Amino acid sequence: MSREEKIEDGKQLLEQRLTFLRLRTITMEDDGNCQFRALSTECFGGQGWHLHLRAAVMDYIDGHADDFSFYFESEGAFRDYVRKMRMGRTWGDELTLRAAAT
């Protein structure tokens, strides 16, 4: 089975499970902002606030550097992460999700 076939099978299985649970898939725009778009959809009912959420999450991470910087080899690496993650189209990660949940 090819990679694409495995992906398609996985999507079909997910849809079956969601149907059983009376849930549905909401597709995010595929532009590198999907984590923030998903958070925006959950918090505000639509994807349009994703840039505001990204800024708020990164402000939180930057303001709580002691809680996040130890994941990085150096202060410079942490600062580079914060700078890059503030830019749109940069994929969110476990740290941005952790900060958003706080």
Side-chain angles (χ1 to χ4, degrees):
M1 182 179 285
S2 73
R3 178 180 182 274
E4 290 76 20
E5 290 171 328
K6 289 178 183 178
I7 290 170
E8 191 56 40
D9 280 355
K11 286 181 179 180
Q12 289 176 4
L13 179 59
L14 175 61
E15 288 301 324
Q16 290 171 359
R17 289 176 177 169
L18 291 174
T19 298
F20 176 77
L21 296 169
R22 296 183 182 160
L23 300 172
R24 64 185 169 93
T25 300
I26 300 174
T27 303
M28 299 297 116
E29 189 173 326
D30 186 16
D31 65 354
N33 295 308
C34 58
Q35 184 185 84
F36 297 99
R37 287 180 178 282
L39 290 168
S40 177
T41 298
E42 286 301 310
C43 293
F44 302 111
Q47 298 180 36
W49 290 93
H50 68 94
L51 292 175
H52 297 284
L53 275 172
R54 179 186 292 275
V57 165
M58 294 317 299
D59 287 347
Y60 182 85
I61 288 175
D62 203 15
H64 294 84
D66 290 345
D67 297 330
F68 293 94
S69 62
F70 70 87
Y71 290 105
F72 299 87
E73 295 176 10
S74 67
E75 177 68 20
F78 174 68
R79 289 285 143 221
D80 284 345
Y81 167 82
V82 170
R83 181 183 53 77
K84 290 175 184 173
M85 194 58 73
R86 284 188 181 278
M87 295 189 293
R89 299 182 166 271
T90 304
W91 286 24
D93 59 18
E94 65 277 4
L95 296 182
T96 56
L97 192 56
R98 182 181 301 248
T102 302

